[in-house]
Amino acid sequence: MPRPSFGGPRGPQGQNQGGIQKASKEQRAVIWRLTKYVLSDYKFSIITVLACIAVTSVTTLASTLFTRTLIDDYIAPLTIAANPDYAPLADVLVKLGLVLLVGVIASYTYNRLMINVSQGTMLRLRKRIFERMEQLPVSYFDQHSHGDMMSVYTNDVDSLRQMISTSISQVFNSVITICVTFASMIVLSIPLTSVSIAMAALMMWVTTWLGSRSRAYFRTQQQSLARVNGFIEEMMTGQKVVKVFCHEEEAIREFEQINEELRASAYNANKIANIVMPVNGNLSNLGYVLIAVAGAVIALGHFSLFTFHFSLSLGTVVAFLTLNKSFTQPITHVSQQINSVLNATVGAERVFRLMDAEPEVDKGSVVLQEPKGDVDFSGVDFSYTPEKQILFDIDINTNPGQKIAFVGGTGAGKTTVINLINRFYEIQQGKILYDGIPITDISKQSLRRSMSIVLQETHLFTGTVIDNIRYGKLNATDEECIQAARLVGADDFIRRLANGYQTQLTGDGGNLSQGERQLIAIARAAVSNPPVLILDEATSSIDTRTETLVQRGMDTLMQGRTTFVIAHRLSTIRNADQIIVLDHGRIIEQGSHEALLQQHGKYYQLYTGNELTA
């Protein structure tokens, strides 16, 4: 099945101006949603941050405005005094120092708070993402690569952390600084303020114009990064296959290709965004020069505009130049953060897309009290996609305790039938009855607890051997777990391990053979003691000698349970009560082993062919 990316379109090619405007609207919506998400748990912290930023800005402004007083009221008089008295100057400098100390404390406080806010938000985000992932249907994982999903947990969440810890406080600081500085500039000089506003407007336009053109490339960068992660994850899990087929060079070439796509997209994203800060820095310097020239003209001679006359002291000009830096510097700071903001916005889109994914729907409300394991199919049709139907008019009647085997070629629909029993997928037509109740009316949790399944692909979790067996029944005692292992023939090899049942398993049980891993998975199914047992190629990875031992335990395990078996080794299902032969999603033969052999049909061909090649 196709695996769509979280990121949407694959690149910025062909994006017109309307697309940029739409992206900008989506960007604002994502930032607003992220802001609300942060505020939901850290409103008090954010209010404290705003207050501290305001204090920092006011103290900075006070020191800037003091420059005028320092020059006009202290330094200039001292330069012409016959007997200069420095005591008043020292006194006012001490007071200024105390004011700046308050600003330093406020700055330290809000930076520490933002670290706590960013880390706490990331904690909640990862928790929410994981919770939603556990609520998603199996079909979602069939359609999205695992590497792409892992990229959401790592790269995308980390890009949000960087933005929250630095960029959000920077924006708050910039807005407050601009407001208080602008008010002070108007008080000092309206003509010089006009020059500052013109340069600031130009800098904001440059930032917006370049940012809108780099955002699409940042989206492509995140998508490329996810593809690189997905490819590496596939190569790590499939390394044995790569080496067996001598595919190393091809794998390297393929990685080089997608790695180059990542480099190109990252280059395109950053080559635009990285010029914002230098351009704005130069514009800020140009504005500084213009204000210095204009201020000097006004200070040296009265400046008139229409009927208005303007004059400035030397201290006012110096103070205004400093204020101008404070006025344009926030724009430069914001432009420095544009990479982080754009990258985080794209990351937030992918995070929220996963969080917004539709969870698994369960309209069933019936809770099975004492399930017997009577499973019947009646006229079942199924398709993964509307374009291609997989199963056609499936009718199966069972009695509790029967062993039902499915055989057929690859793609016949055997595993699909199994997936429908536990409602991994929902049928389109017909009914599946469990103890006479439509399974759509039964709670999925209740339904699945009445079943155990052993898949062809075994998965063991990090932990001890006994913990992995207990995964089938979390409240099982150690004795119950050991009894289950004995039942399926796993007890002997487990006791030979370094620490027996307490042996630590890591890397999906990489320190065990494939057959041993499968035995633990079978023991996990046995410990839950369900009325229905599903075995999807459960002994496919076990050698013939081990299979003989396991089969005895499996026969004991299957007694009194309704068992559905998929097996390519037809010798393991000769004692099945019903053998159902599937071909292209249809039941073409159904009956016992002896009855099907007498028909000399498809099963006869499969069985005799299997025996001849054994």
Side-chain angles (χ1 to χ4, degrees):
M1 298 180 70
R3 294 183 182 272
S5 170
F6 287 99
R10 288 289 178 184
Q13 292 81 357
Q15 186 172 9
N16 55 25
Q17 186 66 26
I20 291 174
Q21 292 172 353
K22 180 180 180 182
S24 179
K25 183 178 180 181
E26 293 173 353
Q27 183 182 18
R28 289 194 297 270
V30 169
I31 292 176
W32 175 239
R33 180 175 178 182
L34 181 61
T35 302
K36 290 194 297 183
Y37 190 83
V38 174
L39 289 173
S40 63
D41 260 11
Y42 295 97
K43 188 176 297 183
F44 176 77
S45 295
I46 296 298
I47 292 173
T48 306
V49 166
L50 287 172
C52 289
I53 290 175
V55 170
T56 304
S57 299
V58 169
T59 55
T60 303
L61 178 63
S63 65
T64 302
L65 293 176
F66 176 73
T67 305
R68 181 179 65 169
T69 305
L70 181 66
I71 294 174
D72 293 343
D73 297 345
Y74 292 92
I75 295 178
L78 286 173
T79 59
I80 61 176
N83 297 305
D85 181 10
Y86 294 99
L89 176 61
D91 182 61
V92 77
L93 287 176
V94 170
K95 293 178 181 179
L96 177 63
L98 293 175
V99 171
L100 292 177
L101 179 61
V102 172
V104 169
I105 295 173
S107 178
Y108 174 80
T109 301
Y110 83 71
N111 278 291
R112 285 294 300 269
L113 283 174
M114 287 309 298
I115 292 173
N116 181 59
V117 169
S118 64
Q119 293 298 334
T121 302
M122 295 307 99
L123 176 71
R124 290 174 55 225
L125 270 178
R126 286 189 292 265
K127 181 175 181 291
R128 284 283 304 277
I129 295 171
F130 190 82
E131 287 175 350
R132 177 46 54 97
M133 186 183 73
E134 292 299 299
Q135 297 167 355
L136 295 174
V138 172
S139 59
Y140 188 91
F141 299 94
D142 291 338
Q143 297 168 5
H144 296 85
S145 78
H146 297 167
D148 202 6
M149 296 181 69
M150 281 301 302
S151 186
V152 174
Y153 280 97
T154 55
N155 301 311
D156 296 324
V157 170
D158 189 62
S159 68
L160 292 181
R161 178 195 59 79
Q162 294 180 31
M163 188 185 79
I164 293 172
S165 62
T166 58
S167 301
I168 289 182
S169 59
Q170 191 68 255
V171 170
F172 288 160
N173 197 358
S174 299
V175 171
I176 294 174
T177 300
I178 288 173
C179 291
V180 297
T181 303
F182 180 68
S184 301
M185 289 168 63
I186 290 178
V187 172
L188 291 182
S189 174
I190 292 178
L192 296 185
T193 301
S194 301
V195 178
S196 291
I197 291 174
M199 297 307 300
L202 180 60
M203 293 170 65
M204 291 177 64
W205 180 82
V206 169
T207 301
T208 303
W209 186 76
L210 292 175
S212 66
R213 277 149 182 78
S214 62
R215 182 177 182 274
Y217 290 107
F218 273 102
R219 180 185 288 110
T220 307
Q221 174 187 324
Q222 291 297 94
Q223 294 167 0
S224 299
L225 184 58
R227 287 197 293 274
V228 167
N229 289 339
F231 183 82
I232 293 173
E233 189 258 347
E234 287 181 355
M235 291 300 103
M236 290 177 66
T237 55
Q239 194 58 220
K240 290 182 180 178
V241 178
V242 171
K243 293 192 178 300
V244 164
F245 291 98
C246 303
H247 203 273
E248 293 92 340
E249 294 299 325
E250 289 80 0
I252 292 172
R253 282 196 293 270
E254 190 173 352
F255 178 77
E256 287 176 348
Q257 179 182 347
I258 61 175
N259 196 32
E260 171 59 24
E261 291 176 1
L262 174 59
R263 185 208 64 80
S265 61
Y267 172 77
N268 288 328
N270 289 280
K271 74 177 180 180
I272 297 177
N274 284 348
I275 68 173
V276 176
M277 189 267 180
V279 169
N280 279 339
N282 287 321
L283 289 175
S284 177
N285 292 333
L286 177 60
Y288 188 88
V289 172
L290 291 176
I291 290 172
V293 172
V297 170
I298 297 173
L300 294 175
H302 291 296
F303 175 74
S304 299
L305 182 63
F306 302 111
T307 59
F308 298 97
H309 300 281
F310 302 95
S311 63
L312 294 174
S313 67
L314 181 61
T316 302
V317 173
V318 174
F320 196 95
L321 287 170
T322 307
L323 286 175
N324 178 70
K325 279 292 184 183
S326 299
F327 187 65
T328 57
Q329 196 174 41
I331 302 175
T332 305
H333 286 167
V334 170
S335 67
Q336 284 179 299
Q337 298 294 329
I338 191 170
N339 291 23
S340 174
V341 172
L342 292 174
N343 203 27
T345 303
V346 175
E349 287 178 354
R350 289 163 51 83
V351 168
F352 290 139
R353 189 172 291 118
L354 179 54
M355 287 174 58
D356 294 340
E358 288 295 326
E360 187 174 22
V361 178
D362 184 10
K363 296 181 179 179
S365 58
V366 176
V367 176
L368 299 172
Q369 299 300 327
E370 296 181 1
K372 300 179 178 64
D374 184 3
V375 181
D376 297 317
F377 285 67
S378 176
V380 171
D381 293 341
F382 173 76
S383 60
Y384 291 105
T385 60
E387 298 80 19
K388 184 178 180 181
Q389 188 169 341
I390 303 298
L391 297 180
F392 302 83
D393 195 28
I394 300 298
D395 286 309
I396 303 173
N397 294 313
T398 69
N399 292 318
Q402 283 190 328
K403 179 179 179 180
I404 315 298
F406 296 94
V407 299
T410 301
K414 306 183 296 295
T415 301
T416 301
V417 172
I418 295 299
N419 286 336
L420 297 182
I421 297 175
N422 48 37
R423 292 186 66 190
F424 282 165
Y425 297 90
E426 302 292 353
I427 61 177
Q428 278 77 47
Q429 297 290 334
K431 286 184 178 181
I432 301 178
L433 303 178
Y434 189 106
D435 290 351
I437 305 170
I439 61 171
T440 52
D441 295 340
I442 303 174
S443 162
K444 286 185 178 181
Q445 192 174 66
S446 177
L447 178 68
R448 291 169 184 171
R449 279 180 175 170
S450 71
M451 304 177 182
S452 273
I453 183 169
V454 181
L455 299 171
Q456 184 176 4
E457 296 180 2
T458 302
H459 183 78
L460 300 181
F461 298 92
T462 299
T464 64
V465 171
I466 200 165
D467 285 340
N468 270 274
I469 296 175
R470 187 178 284 114
Y471 203 84
K473 182 183 177 183
L474 295 180
N475 60 351
T477 63
D478 288 356
E479 183 56 37
E480 288 177 314
C481 295
I482 294 171
Q483 185 60 36
R486 288 180 184 147
L487 183 67
V488 301
D491 182 69
D492 288 341
F493 94 81
I494 292 175
R495 292 189 182 277
R496 289 196 299 269
L497 296 175
N499 297 308
Y501 283 88
Q502 299 303 320
T503 301
Q504 191 76 16
L505 301 181
T506 58
D508 202 11
N511 51 337
L512 302 178
S513 71
Q514 184 66 25
E516 290 170 339
R517 295 169 68 242
Q518 196 79 334
L519 283 169
I520 292 177
I522 295 171
R524 176 193 293 166
V527 77
S528 65
N529 195 26
V532 176
L533 186 64
I534 298 173
L535 307 175
D536 185 356
E537 296 289 347
T539 59
S540 62
S541 301
I542 302 176
D543 58 74
T544 305
R545 178 181 176 278
T546 306
E547 181 183 357
T548 303
L549 297 175
V550 172
Q551 199 62 49
R552 296 197 194 110
M554 295 294 290
D555 290 339
T556 304
L557 176 62
M558 288 185 286
Q559 288 180 6
R561 294 182 173 86
T562 305
T563 307
F564 296 91
V565 181
I566 297 176
H568 286 159
R569 297 180 185 177
L570 301 186
S571 59
T572 64
I573 59 170
R574 284 180 295 190
N575 63 342
D577 297 288
Q578 288 189 63
I579 298 175
I580 297 171
V581 184
L582 291 166
D583 185 47
H584 293 93
R586 300 179 186 274
I587 296 178
I588 57 174
E589 294 177 12
Q590 188 171 357
S592 65
H593 172 72
E594 292 76 12
L596 292 177
L597 286 180
Q598 292 176 4
Q599 294 180 17
H600 287 265
K602 182 69 174 179
Y603 180 78
Y604 178 84
Q605 296 173 10
L606 291 171
Y607 185 78
T608 54
N610 181 67
E611 290 291 86
L612 289 172
T613 57

